[in-house]
Amino acid sequence: MHNFIFRNPVELIFGKGQISKLSEKIAPGTKVMMTFGGGSIFKNGIYDQVKAALKGVEVIEFGGIEANPDYSTLMKAVEICKKEKVDMLLAVGGGSIIDGTKFIAAGTKYEGDPWEFMLDSSITSEAIPFGTVLTLPATASEMNCGAVISRRETNEKFAFHNPNCFPQFSILDPTAIYSLPKRQISNGIVDTYAHTLEQYLTTDIDTKVMDRFAEGLLRTLVEIAPDLLKDERSYDVCANFMITATMGLNGFIAMGVDEDWATHMIGHELTALHGLDHGVTLAIVHPGVMRVMKEEKRAKLLKYAERVWDIKEGTEDERIEAAVVKTEEFYRSVGMKIKLSEHNIGEETINTIVKRFRDRKWNVGEHGIVTPEKTEMILRSVL
Ligand code: NZQ
Ligand code: ZN
């Protein structure tokens, strides 16, 4: 097990009716910018619940943050925060809103162009404090300090991590996701599954607790997916989904392990170039990573086959292939198209992504094992 330092300061406030707790978290007289997306919070009553809990608080509303939040939109909020001297931010939405809010929080405190910290991971600006009300389980942004920001004018999408960008608190009310369309449930299932695999399917360095924890998250997703995709979702299934997604990327299963993230890095390019939903990109790329990086990941792939899919028969290669097929079937079962060609994406995009990775000198994956050549093989394998 590698040495590690673990710190996660986020206060989780979980359960039905918990949005009302905002009144205890934000004192009257605080000047708050409330950030949100394209309007789902007006239809499902979350906006009303938030506003009711914020009586006496001065609220500046900043809506219209798009899925895959865009630099130019967020910079408008940065300007307002600077001008109005906002004390605190409150993100009400999914990963895009929370990520965008992290960018606003850090961008407001940063003296230069905030895009600089998107390109240089050594820059960690101060940030104004913020809380979140989560409406879409997927990214775990509600309990981590990372964010992914898009810049449509250049077709780019990059991540940043800043220890000053943990939310102070996050409210997780499972009833908030009753209104989620199936497409977003599918995205959330696949995103959480992929986060877990990115921290599990690496090198086997005897991290027993993290492995069992990760396997528990994966098996839970497989178990609850059919119920989540029914027309009516029960409170319990929503609650289980919400906490699974949060646990997938809040640092718990990353303790002492090697991490991969090649699937995410390649997937971000597919979103930047073609606008595919984040979850959709992962369902395409992940099986390719498993097959192309089979030798490097062999021990963990075998563990995955046995412990997540109960595959015990056959040679090593047969068991690994069966586990990859099970993964593909699972992604298809939640409604994903898992080949580039099914999204009308072909050779040209593969060449563009590989050129970008070469130009950026990006060797991704655990220990940089996914070279641009491997990235090309991965993308060709899922054509
Ligand atoms: O904009 P509105 O109208 O609110 O609609 C949203 C949006 O269209 C809708 N939605 C959200 N909650 C809803 C709802 N509709 C009905 N009822 C509700 N309760 O869902 C749509 C998608 O929302 P979005 O926030 O974009 O989804 P998600 O949470 O999947 O976030 C995706 C973004 O997060 C990044 C992705 O790259 C992408 O930009 N990620 C962030 C990570 C992190 N911070 O750690 C890690 C992830 O790997 C990921 O990269
Ligand atoms: Zn993700």
Side-chain angles (χ1 to χ4, degrees):
M1 198 180 308
H2 297 305
N3 291 358
F4 65 90
I5 295 173
F6 177 79
R7 174 179 168 269
N8 191 317
V10 181
E11 182 180 17
L12 277 193
I13 304 170
F14 190 97
K16 198 183 282 184
Q18 296 284 47
I19 292 175
S20 64
K21 289 278 195 310
L22 274 175
S23 60
E24 296 166 25
K25 293 283 129 199
I26 306 180
T30 312
K31 196 169 195 177
V32 174
M33 176 183 272
M34 172 181 167
T35 52
F36 53 93
S40 67
I41 63 167
F42 294 110
K43 292 184 205 136
N44 59 16
I46 292 173
Y47 174 86
D48 292 337
Q49 289 184 58
V50 170
K51 286 306 286 262
L54 290 181
K55 273 210 182 89
V57 174
E58 189 181 341
V59 180
I60 298 171
E61 295 184 8
F62 188 86
I65 297 177
E66 51 285 274
N68 305 307
D70 198 77
Y71 166 78
S72 61
T73 307
L74 302 172
M75 285 307 291
K76 291 180 193 148
V78 167
E79 290 313 313
I80 297 170
C81 283
K82 283 185 176 168
K83 188 161 153 259
E84 298 290 333
K85 300 199 171 19
V86 163
D87 301 312
M88 174 166 194
L89 299 166
L90 178 66
V92 185
S96 294
I97 308 308
I98 301 174
D99 284 8
T101 302
K102 290 174 181 175
F103 180 92
I104 299 166
T108 302
K109 289 280 189 176
Y110 188 65
E111 299 220 329
D113 177 349
W115 195 250
E116 290 166 15
F117 63 67
M118 300 304 307
L119 299 177
D120 181 352
S121 58
S122 67
I123 305 174
T124 51
S125 140
E126 291 293 306
I128 46 180
F130 65 98
T132 86
V133 175
L134 180 69
T135 66
L136 196 173
T139 64
S141 188
E142 68 279 7
M143 202 177 177
N144 67 38
C145 67
V148 190
I149 307 299
S150 296
R151 194 163 182 170
R152 284 167 178 75
E153 57 179 328
T154 51
N155 290 333
E156 289 174 302
K157 183 175 184 186
F158 292 122
F160 77 93
H161 292 89
N162 178 344
N164 300 315
C165 285
F166 279 106
Q168 282 195 333
F169 64 85
S170 283
I171 299 184
L172 277 60
D173 180 342
T175 66
I177 67 170
Y178 288 162
S179 58
L180 267 182
K182 280 187 192 168
R183 167 178 160 191
Q184 299 304 344
I185 294 275
S186 303
N187 285 338
I189 293 170
V190 173
D191 198 14
T192 305
Y193 200 87
H195 292 159
T196 310
L197 284 186
E198 298 260 37
Q199 297 158 90
Y200 174 82
L201 274 186
T202 57
T203 19
D204 194 346
I205 51 170
D206 197 19
T207 48
K208 293 190 197 312
V209 172
M210 278 57 71
D211 290 357
R212 290 293 189 192
F213 202 158
E215 290 153 10
L217 298 177
L218 296 169
R219 293 193 75 122
T220 300
L221 288 166
V222 172
E223 182 182 333
I224 65 179
D227 287 336
L228 278 170
L229 290 162
K230 284 183 182 154
D231 290 335
E232 297 248 323
R233 298 162 205 140
S234 74
Y235 177 79
D236 288 334
V237 82
C238 292
N240 277 299
F241 181 34
M242 232 176 185
I243 197 62
T244 306
T246 301
M247 289 298 181
L249 193 49
N250 62 359
F252 281 55
I253 60 169
M255 287 186 227
V257 308
D258 281 327
E259 297 179 51
D260 179 342
W261 302 112
T263 298
H264 270 70
M265 302 301 267
I266 301 169
H268 287 168
E269 297 301 319
L270 292 172
T271 301
L273 294 166
H274 293 282
L276 296 188
D277 289 352
H278 175 62
V280 173
T281 70
L282 307 174
I284 298 167
V285 180
H286 226 145
V289 169
M290 289 185 203
R291 287 200 176 97
V292 171
M293 305 311 293
K294 182 172 83 172
E295 292 314 324
E296 293 82 350
K297 294 177 181 295
R298 177 170 289 271
K300 270 301 183 62
L301 278 165
L302 287 166
K303 209 174 242 186
Y304 171 62
E306 178 169 348
R307 295 185 180 181
V308 177
W309 294 110
D310 301 315
I311 298 166
K312 297 180 180 132
E313 307 287 321
T315 64
E316 284 191 4
D317 283 348
E318 284 166 356
R319 280 178 274 150
I320 290 171
E321 179 56 23
V324 182
V325 170
K326 281 281 185 193
T327 312
E328 289 178 322
E329 286 170 1
F330 177 56
Y331 288 164
R332 286 223 187 264
S333 77
V334 301
M336 292 290 171
K337 295 179 192 156
I338 62 167
K339 297 290 176 195
L340 288 171
S341 50
E342 292 175 81
H343 297 276
N344 297 318
I345 296 173
E347 297 274 337
E348 201 182 323
T349 298
I350 297 179
N351 295 338
T352 304
I353 295 175
V354 174
K355 181 174 183 322
R356 281 182 164 192
F357 279 30
R358 281 211 175 97
D359 291 348
R360 294 175 193 157
K361 300 190 175 28
W362 272 11
N363 292 323
V364 295
E366 65 272 21
H367 308 293
I369 57 174
V370 182
T371 58
E373 291 69 35
K374 293 279 186 188
T375 296
E376 182 164 7
M377 287 165 72
I378 289 164
L379 285 167
R380 290 201 182 283
S381 75
V382 296
L383 201 65

